[in-house]
Amino acid sequence: MKLDALHIPGRSHHIAAAYYQPEGNRRDLAVAIAHGYTAGKYSVDGLANYLAHHGYPVLTFDFAGHKLGGTTGELESMLTADANLKDAVHWLRRNSAAGGVVIVGHSMGGAVAIQVAAEEMAAPQPAEPPLRGVIALCVSAEPERSFSSPVGSAMLAQRSAYVNGASSAELYPQIRARALAAANLKQLPTLFIAALRDVIVEPDRLKELCELAGPYAEYATVDAAHMDAPDRARGLVGAWLDRL
């Protein structure tokens, strides 16, 4: 595997990214992975590394405002996050030489992945190469409920300083709207993955989104907590991509 550190010129930010390139057998799908709130691209490194070693070109990146990442600017709203992911996917389309793209997102990144995918499905002309699927891990359409629990409140209090920009309370309704965009994924293959030991997002929340997304959506579980779900779900993600 070859790993390159990148700075992608975006619409409003210079996006810090990492590009994992397979050496040897190369699949015809490229994967963009979006991390969760308060984290950074480091949090999905295990998943990206695994997929690259199985032949998939993978791009990870930092959302704006996340202090442990390198992307410039602040997370002014979820529109900022949408633009960051769109810029990452655009770069991947132009540089991976793959015949299709899959978007993967964890927690907040999963909601953004759903939103960006739904917008693509509604576009009058599909982008090339086409979007072939979306995978959402540990996503809830009720983030305010997730973080109002004692554990969720403590986690948010501990980690809110890791992000510059809009407050979490301002972002809750925007994240909810993005998760509910699952209803607009139409015929796009989608995988919703719940973590069985997740005390932030209950597995039933993922099951509800899967039902909302319709007959082309699948639901699966992994023995993991919220933060380690991307790494522990890597075999599940890889197998789904192989079938796709």
Side-chain angles (χ1 to χ4, degrees):
M1 181 197 73
K2 181 182 178 184
L3 178 60
D4 291 328
L6 306 172
H7 282 278
I8 300 171
R11 301 161 207 216
S12 56
H13 304 95
H14 285 277
I15 298 169
Y19 186 39
Y20 301 70
Q21 299 181 66
E23 294 182 330
N25 183 34
R26 191 180 182 98
R27 307 298 183 96
D28 200 34
L29 285 178
V31 181
I33 307 181
H35 66 79
Y37 185 64
T38 78
K41 61 182 180 294
Y42 67 86
S43 67
V44 294
D45 170 71
L47 174 58
N49 184 297
Y50 176 88
L51 294 178
H53 276 97
H54 285 75
Y56 294 99
V58 180
L59 184 73
T60 64
F61 67 97
D62 298 314
F63 281 118
H66 285 68
K67 298 178 184 179
L68 296 184
T71 296
T72 61
E74 296 187 353
L75 185 63
E76 298 160 352
S77 76
M78 292 307 297
L79 289 173
T80 303
D82 297 346
N84 293 163
L85 178 55
K86 290 174 184 178
D87 288 333
V89 171
H90 178 70
W91 186 95
L92 193 59
R93 281 187 162 119
R94 293 184 62 185
N95 293 277
S96 68
V101 174
V102 173
I103 303 174
V104 180
H106 174 236
S107 195
M108 179 194 79
V112 177
I114 292 170
Q115 175 69 27
V116 171
E119 289 182 21
E120 287 219 3
M121 297 304 291
Q125 286 190 317
E128 292 294 339
L131 182 63
R132 295 283 306 281
V134 62
I135 301 174
L137 298 93
C138 306
V139 181
S140 173
E142 298 178 296
E144 65 283 354
R145 170 176 170 173
S146 299
F147 288 101
S148 63
S149 68
V151 173
S153 297
M155 178 181 174
L156 194 60
Q158 180 190 41
R159 295 192 61 86
S160 59
Y162 284 60
V163 182
N164 279 331
S167 69
S168 56
E170 292 175 286
L171 297 176
Y172 286 158
Q174 300 175 47
I175 293 173
R176 173 181 174 81
R178 279 152 181 77
L180 292 176
N184 301 320
L185 293 176
K186 299 180 180 179
Q187 298 181 356
L188 185 69
T190 307
L191 176 63
F192 292 91
I193 301 177
L196 293 175
R197 293 184 282 108
D198 192 343
V199 295
I200 304 299
V201 179
E202 300 166 1
D204 283 350
R205 304 285 79 78
L206 272 294
K207 191 175 293 184
E208 291 170 0
L209 286 179
C210 183
E211 293 170 353
L212 183 66
Y216 292 87
E218 299 177 47
Y219 171 78
T221 60
V222 62
D223 183 18
H226 188 81
M227 297 301 291
D228 66 349
D231 191 46
R232 290 185 173 271
R234 58 189 184 179
L236 186 62
V237 171
W240 190 84
L241 291 173
D242 290 347
R243 294 197 306 272
L244 189 65

